[in-house]
Amino acid sequence: DVMERSLYNNVVAGIGLDGKTFFYPNPLECNMEYAFNSGKTLDRQPWFDCSCCPSNDVRIIASIPGYVYALKDNDLYINLYINGSAETKIAGKKISITQNTQYPWDGRVLLTVKPEKASAFTVKLRIPGWAVNQVLPGDLYSFTGKDNQLPEIKVNGKSVTFTTEKGYASLSRKWKKGDQVELYLPMPVRKVVANPKVKDDAGKACFIRGPITYCAEQQDNEKDVLQIFCPEKPEFSVNYRKDFLGGCVVLKTKTLAPKTGPEKNSLPDETELTLIPYALWNNRGANKMTVWFGEQK
């Protein structure tokens, strides 16, 4: 779960969509005053004097295929849900497996298992913590409220009951060529708060959908994003935009922002809040950005 959260947020955020510009840190807020990128700038940079970040990004992205699957005895672990295929051996017999999915934008994954010969083994599907009301292992972050939608698994079109052990659902059977497993992970937008001991996040909340953490960039929002209140009970529209920032899901909801100037003591204004995946911010030039939103007092 930590690997997935890191890959889709921290790691990818460090690289511009052009593949040639980088962040040194990953700030969760930009006020257009503090020069956070190696203490020099607000923009992504082509290189750094101490260039461990670009080279580490290259290394980890190139190594992702090695993280997707794992083997132990007669168990085939599916760790990450990514389009592609792999070949391996279980008990000396060749096995191929293919994934078809729009993950992380959609929680549906279709796996096709193709053993060289019909074979008995166990396919272990990782059930992410975020799909069962846990943001990440530990108590650093938690969801507000509980989502009652549950993951679903089908084998060859038939629903199966399953239990999880250490985050994995086990499917043990004699697999034959062309068997298909369908995994559905519900992806509602969830409100997240930090442990009260994290003082900078006290009284604030952020939003995630599936493994993706979202932020507000100023150029998508009319009101100052650093002043917008966190929606109390938000209802989000969820739209996949193919031609926006390389293709991503954009979230929109209604919330409030304080008035400024002579009307600053009046009731706050209603405003539309637009959120984009945090990893894609600062690809249209430097502007204000925030992940955490203060609660209305």
Side-chain angles (χ1 to χ4, degrees):
D1 283 6
V2 174
M3 169 64 78
E4 179 181 75
R5 183 75 64 190
S6 299
L7 286 174
Y8 284 120
N9 299 283
N10 314 49
V11 173
V12 183
I15 310 172
L17 288 175
D18 59 7
K20 298 183 290 185
T21 51
F22 304 88
F23 281 153
Y24 205 90
N26 284 324
L28 300 184
E29 181 179 293
C30 174
N31 63 5
M32 293 300 291
E33 296 177 11
Y34 176 67
F36 60 84
N37 201 15
S38 195
K40 299 177 182 177
T41 180
L42 298 167
D43 296 304
R44 296 176 183 270
Q45 292 295 293
W47 207 245
F48 302 102
D49 293 338
C50 178
S51 59
C52 54
C53 297
S55 54
N56 276 329
D57 276 339
V58 171
R59 180 184 66 174
I60 195 168
I61 289 174
S63 68
I64 286 174
Y67 296 122
V68 178
Y69 303 97
L71 282 175
K72 183 179 181 181
D73 302 325
N74 285 347
D75 296 339
L76 173 62
Y77 288 80
I78 318 297
N79 299 320
L80 297 173
Y81 299 113
I82 298 175
N83 263 331
S85 59
E87 293 183 353
T88 188
K89 287 185 178 181
I90 296 179
K93 297 178 182 179
K94 290 183 180 179
I95 307 289
S96 70
I97 186 165
T98 301
Q99 290 191 49
N100 289 290
T101 181
Q102 296 299 314
Y103 196 91
W105 311 123
D106 189 283
R108 299 180 187 278
V109 183
L110 177 65
L111 300 104
T112 303
V113 182
K114 296 180 180 178
E116 188 176 36
K117 295 181 180 179
S119 305
F121 57 93
T122 299
V123 173
K124 288 183 171 286
L125 303 174
R126 185 177 65 89
I127 306 299
W130 56 259
V132 287
N133 292 295
Q134 183 182 44
V135 181
L136 281 172
D139 66 351
L140 182 57
Y141 302 107
S142 59
F143 291 118
T144 62
K146 183 177 180 180
D147 181 61
N148 293 320
Q149 300 178 78
L150 296 174
E152 299 175 12
I153 298 176
K154 293 181 180 180
V155 177
N156 296 330
K158 296 182 179 180
S159 296
V160 297
T161 58
F162 63 92
T163 57
T164 58
E165 181 182 3
K166 296 182 178 179
Y168 288 82
S170 297
L171 304 177
S172 299
R173 57 184 277 128
K174 189 172 185 178
W175 299 91
K176 62 183 186 298
K177 191 173 183 179
D179 280 346
Q180 291 190 323
V181 178
E182 298 172 70
L183 171 66
Y184 171 62
L185 300 170
M187 284 188 175
V189 181
R190 304 292 304 275
K191 189 175 179 180
V192 175
V193 294
N195 187 301
K197 293 180 181 179
V198 183
K199 294 181 180 179
D200 284 348
D201 293 336
K204 298 180 180 181
C206 68
F207 297 95
I208 71 170
R209 180 178 180 268
I212 304 296
T213 299
Y214 278 78
C215 73
E217 264 196 299
Q218 189 60 61
Q219 61 195 68
D220 298 316
N221 292 275
E222 179 182 353
K223 299 291 185 178
D224 185 342
V225 295
L226 302 184
Q227 300 297 320
I228 291 177
F229 294 123
C230 178
E232 186 176 356
K233 294 181 179 180
E235 294 183 4
F236 282 96
S237 66
V238 178
N239 295 297
Y240 178 76
R241 295 175 57 182
K242 181 179 180 180
D243 299 322
F244 180 66
L245 296 173
C248 67
V249 167
V250 176
L251 308 178
K252 290 181 181 289
T253 190
K254 296 290 186 182
T255 188
L256 299 174
K259 292 184 184 293
T260 57
E263 296 182 322
K264 65 181 180 180
N265 294 322
S266 303
L267 292 174
D269 287 326
E270 184 176 78
T271 188
E272 184 175 68
L273 173 63
T274 299
L275 302 178
I276 67 168
Y278 167 73
L280 300 178
W281 87 280
N282 201 303
N283 275 287
R284 298 169 289 171
N287 64 152
K288 287 184 178 181
M289 180 278 298
T290 187
V291 169
W292 292 94
F293 298 89
E295 302 276 8
Q296 185 180 5
K297 297 180 180 179

